[in-house]
Amino acid sequence: MAIRIFRMKAGNRVNRRVSGDIGVTLFLVIFAIIMVIPLYFAIIQSIKPMNELYIFPPRLYVTSPTPDNYADLFRLMSSSWVPFSRYVFNTVMITAVGTFGHIILASMAAYPLAKYRFPFSQGFAKMVRFALMFNATVLTIPTYIIMARLGWIDTYFSLIVPAFGSSLGLYLMQNFMADLSDALFDAAKIDGAREGLIFWRIVMPNVKSGWLTLMIFSVQTLWNTNNSMYIYSEELKTLPYAISQITSGGYARAGAAAAAVVVMMLVPIIVFIISQSNVIETMSKSGIKE
Amino acid sequence: MSEMNKAAASNDLEFKTAMRNIGKYFQYKWSLMKKAKVYYAFIAPYALVFITFTVLPVLIAIYFSFTNFNMIDRPSWVFIDNYYALFIDDDLFITAIKNTLLFSVITGPVGYLMSLGFAWLINELPPKVRAVFTLFFYAPAISGTSYVMFSYIFSADEYGLLNSALLNWGFITEAVPWLQNEKTVPFCVIVVSLWLSLGTGFLSLIAGLQGVPKDLYEAGAIDGIKNRWQELWYITLPTMKDHLMFAAVMSITGSFGMGAVITALVGFPSPNYSAHTIVHHLEDYGNTRFEMGYASAIAVLLFLLMVVCNELIQKLLRKVGT
């Protein structure tokens, strides 16, 4: 019994053995390496000079790294007739506005659905969950018809607004908000706080990890928005579209293609690192989440 | 005569009370709705977008599935002809179902268990180390088009990473065309989709694990929980059921919705249709042949398949911790 109490003082380390911990860590390290190899390979390929790209056997390291492939990529991009910066602007704009709007709208809708019951609430929540399972491909034609009626063809609206109502966000935020304790709201209501205030001051700060997670998903999806069938003008097309035009050049551009992969994965990964460190920070600050 | 009158009168009375009750029911519902009007205001902006760009298109697609529609002429009602043709005349659709089921039966559960397993093990680590491992495991799913690197790894010539390694170690004597041979294509597809499977669900599981109150474990230890397996089954998993269900939905949509990744790796059509999935079939009819009615029927069937699968899994997940 004494031992057990002593063990419990070490926080969440009850029921653990050192040998198990070592085994687990080793196992994780091996799998982490397997997961990262293709990404590492992309980075290595992107800084290899031409003559190293075609050595047999292919090497997982580089002897004389060069930024040539990146220079190549940007040279190819700037030779297109729409300035390269325009593609970047489009993608950044779509990603930023789409993500922000989605987080706000989905969180607002998730709050009453997670915490209260009223007519149609459960039905609506269920409908959203079902919608997650409908394949997006077949929706493009009906959506096109709707877009045309709205006059949104060939505008930013066609790319941004549907992202606001993506079903993933509502489902996720609802899950996070359901975990919040009712005591939190009751106290605020006794103090006479209105629902809007409760949402903004109490709910949102307490589900920070939720909307940071949603931000990661949303940025990742929107950042990779490729050529959409609702957009014709070259000036409105996105960065992934421009890059895919370049990398379809085959072996001659193998280096530039790898550089493109690295450029495209950079932003979602940076967003992930920033928000993840925030999530962990809030977790350790609040200690136990209720 | 009077008997009949009496019966009619009592019927009339019953009808009236029933009507009054129905009226009362609606009045009650209406009063509930009036009370909840703040909540409707909260939901309204999202609901407007969601209904316009998700519900409405789904309903239109379901309607199209009963018609013959080529994008130019008006849709003509053909009732279940599309569905009939899919199962009776379309051998390729049957192949697509087989492939989709094969891929999703393997990648769905394995990917899900991988997500849960890794999330659980990572969660035990100190915060800084945990962040690094989370990044490493999650990076493939987040890094956009990085899966195209697998076309170099599985490249058919000896410059391919896998071929050169296997040649070097003497496992094979000549380069294997991994992505061109119909026997090896399913293997490659499964490897790549497992590599990509630690995505949305994985991250949600990590968040769920971090939300489990630590004192539950201490209480559990006093109640006689002896090892980490019991802890997982009786404490951790039941506390994060919502996250488990969310991850399950994500892994269903992921594994049934495989298409773009396969096309990027092995092209369309894949060698002898060895990786032809329902999504490919759908894209073929929808985006290439513009047989929208037929394509919509495929989409509706895919949707039903996912819904049934989802219901089964949600039932299974309710048993967790019992």
Side-chain angles (χ1 to χ4, degrees):
Chain A
M1 195 59 203
I3 294 167
R4 193 154 255 186
I5 289 164
F6 172 72
R7 273 231 208 123
M8 276 191 302
K9 278 197 178 143
N12 62 339
R13 307 297 302 156
V14 286
N15 282 322
R16 290 296 178 276
R17 279 188 207 167
V18 178
S19 62
D21 284 344
I22 293 172
V24 162
T25 313
L26 204 66
F27 176 78
L28 283 176
V29 167
I30 292 169
F31 267 92
I33 291 172
I34 293 173
M35 294 299 281
V36 171
I37 278 183
L39 300 178
Y40 170 78
F41 190 54
I43 296 168
I44 286 299
Q45 289 289 80
S46 76
I47 54 171
K48 275 182 183 171
M50 208 38 136
N51 57 340
E52 274 188 62
L53 276 171
Y54 296 107
I55 293 175
F56 180 80
R59 290 178 183 156
L60 276 178
Y61 57 91
V62 52
T63 36
S64 50
T66 161
D68 283 0
N69 292 317
Y70 289 90
D72 220 24
L73 179 68
F74 291 115
R75 191 179 48 74
L76 285 164
M77 299 249 264
S78 55
S79 63
S80 62
W81 61 277
V82 169
F84 173 55
S85 56
R86 186 67 203 246
Y87 294 118
V88 177
F89 171 78
N90 289 342
T91 290
V92 169
M93 224 259 308
I94 292 165
T95 308
V97 179
T99 301
F100 181 77
H102 182 42
I103 290 175
I104 298 291
L105 261 60
S107 307
M108 273 173 62
Y111 162 55
L113 291 179
K115 280 290 142 198
Y116 305 103
R117 277 183 170 250
F118 48 92
F120 306 120
S121 63
Q122 301 307 305
F124 187 72
K126 198 161 195 183
M127 203 157 72
V128 171
R129 202 178 54 180
F130 274 151
L132 275 175
M133 282 174 275
F134 210 94
N135 190 281
T137 314
V138 82
L139 297 187
T140 47
I141 304 296
T143 311
Y144 187 93
I145 298 170
I146 292 166
M147 291 280 180
R149 284 280 165 88
L150 290 169
W152 284 3
I153 299 292
D154 214 21
T155 63
Y156 284 124
F157 289 117
S158 69
L159 295 174
I160 296 172
V161 177
F164 288 169
S166 149
S167 41
L168 179 67
L170 186 118
Y171 190 35
L172 189 80
M173 292 313 292
Q174 205 188 325
N175 270 353
F176 272 93
M177 288 175 184
D179 290 344
L180 294 176
S181 103
D182 291 330
L184 223 56
F185 305 100
D186 295 342
K189 269 187 199 147
I190 289 165
D191 291 346
R194 283 167 175 267
E195 290 292 350
L197 205 66
I198 293 177
F199 170 72
W200 198 246
R201 290 277 173 78
I202 295 174
V203 178
M204 284 309 264
N206 274 296
V207 290
K208 192 180 176 190
S209 58
W211 51 261
L212 283 171
T213 312
L214 178 57
M215 184 172 88
I216 298 166
F217 297 152
S218 182
V219 164
Q220 174 208 341
T221 317
L222 288 167
W223 181 254
N224 289 309
T225 304
N226 207 327
N227 57 328
S228 148
M229 63 185 297
Y230 318 125
I231 298 289
Y232 302 121
S233 324
E234 194 66 24
E235 303 90 67
L236 294 183
K237 289 198 166 150
T238 57
L239 186 61
Y241 166 80
I243 284 183
S244 69
Q245 296 301 96
I246 288 161
T247 54
S248 53
Y251 269 97
R253 288 175 179 174
V261 168
V262 175
V263 168
M264 282 311 290
M265 74 185 189
L266 225 50
V267 167
I269 285 182
I270 288 171
V271 168
F272 173 71
I273 291 172
I274 293 170
S275 53
Q276 178 72 6
S277 64
N278 264 311
V279 171
I280 286 165
E281 198 183 303
T282 44
M283 288 294 170
S284 54
K285 255 186 201 156
S286 60
I288 297 162
K289 198 180 108 187
E290 217 191 344
Chain B
M1 188 66 194
S2 67
E3 285 290 305
M4 268 176 81
N5 267 345
K6 251 185 210 165
S10 85
N11 266 346
D12 195 42
L13 192 71
E14 260 174 39
F15 179 72
K16 269 185 184 155
T17 24
M19 279 315 281
R20 206 177 299 135
N21 282 342
I22 290 172
K24 264 190 194 154
Y25 175 77
F26 278 110
Q27 254 173 16
Y28 171 67
K29 276 275 160 186
W30 181 241
S31 74
L32 281 184
M33 285 176 72
K34 271 206 286 203
K35 245 187 245 162
K37 62 177 184 251
V38 187
Y39 305 140
Y40 290 116
F42 266 98
I43 296 174
Y46 178 88
L48 190 68
V49 178
F50 177 73
I51 288 170
T52 317
F53 295 107
T54 308
V55 178
L56 210 56
V58 169
L59 293 180
I60 296 176
I62 291 172
Y63 164 69
F64 279 167
S65 78
F66 296 107
T67 65
N68 208 342
F69 182 42
N70 59 7
M71 304 274 294
I72 301 159
D73 305 316
R74 283 191 149 275
S76 60
W77 186 259
V78 296
F79 199 39
I80 55 164
D81 281 11
N82 287 325
Y83 295 95
Y84 185 79
L86 270 173
F87 285 107
I88 305 301
D89 295 334
D90 196 344
D91 290 341
L92 204 49
F93 180 62
I94 306 299
T95 311
I97 290 184
K98 275 186 200 151
N99 284 334
T100 307
L101 287 179
L102 171 75
F103 293 150
S104 46
V105 160
I106 296 173
T107 61
V110 176
Y112 185 69
L113 291 177
M114 267 169 66
S115 298
L116 182 58
F118 286 132
W120 179 51
L121 295 177
I122 285 173
N123 193 50
E124 309 255 302
L125 303 167
K128 288 262 158 62
V129 189
R130 181 168 68 206
V132 172
F133 271 109
T134 311
L135 174 65
F136 279 10
F137 282 110
Y138 186 54
I142 205 179
S143 51
T145 53
S146 60
Y147 55 81
V148 299
M149 292 316 290
F150 275 94
S151 54
Y152 295 96
I153 292 172
F154 288 129
S155 181
D157 51 28
E158 49 214 32
Y159 293 108
L161 214 54
L162 186 62
N163 272 335
S164 79
L166 291 178
L167 281 169
N168 254 359
W169 298 330
F171 284 113
I172 51 174
T173 49
E174 58 182 69
V176 177
W178 295 101
L179 298 173
Q180 284 76 31
N181 185 334
E182 58 176 293
K183 291 212 177 68
T184 51
V185 160
F187 163 78
C188 297
V189 167
I190 287 168
V191 167
V192 175
S193 46
L194 285 179
W195 184 70
L196 288 167
S197 66
L198 297 178
T200 317
F202 171 66
L203 211 58
S204 152
L205 288 173
I206 288 185
L209 282 164
Q210 290 181 359
V212 179
K214 302 276 182 286
D215 46 353
L216 278 186
Y217 295 116
E218 286 159 21
I222 292 167
D223 286 346
I225 280 181
K226 287 193 193 66
N227 52 44
R228 55 176 102 197
W229 301 106
Q230 286 186 351
E231 205 178 271
L232 179 72
W233 185 253
Y234 290 110
I235 301 175
T236 315
L237 294 184
T239 348
M240 49 180 286
K241 256 183 194 168
D242 286 339
H243 294 271
L244 288 178
M245 290 186 177
F246 176 74
V249 172
M250 292 326 287
S251 97
I252 291 167
T253 50
S255 57
F256 279 104
M258 273 194 288
V261 174
I262 298 175
T263 308
L265 282 178
V266 299
F268 179 82
S270 44
N272 201 16
Y273 295 104
S274 52
H276 189 74
T277 63
I278 299 180
V279 172
H280 285 127
H281 211 57
L282 166 60
E283 284 175 342
D284 188 19
Y285 280 93
N287 299 354
T288 320
R289 305 185 198 201
F290 292 114
E291 291 185 27
M292 289 318 299
Y294 201 68
S296 300
I298 299 171
V300 170
L301 286 174
L302 180 63
F303 176 61
L304 289 178
L305 197 63
M306 287 199 210
V307 169
V308 168
C309 189
N310 180 50
E311 290 299 311
L312 286 176
I313 286 168
Q314 305 291 345
K315 267 212 183 97
L316 269 180
L317 284 178
R318 278 193 203 109
K319 295 215 172 81
V320 162
T322 55

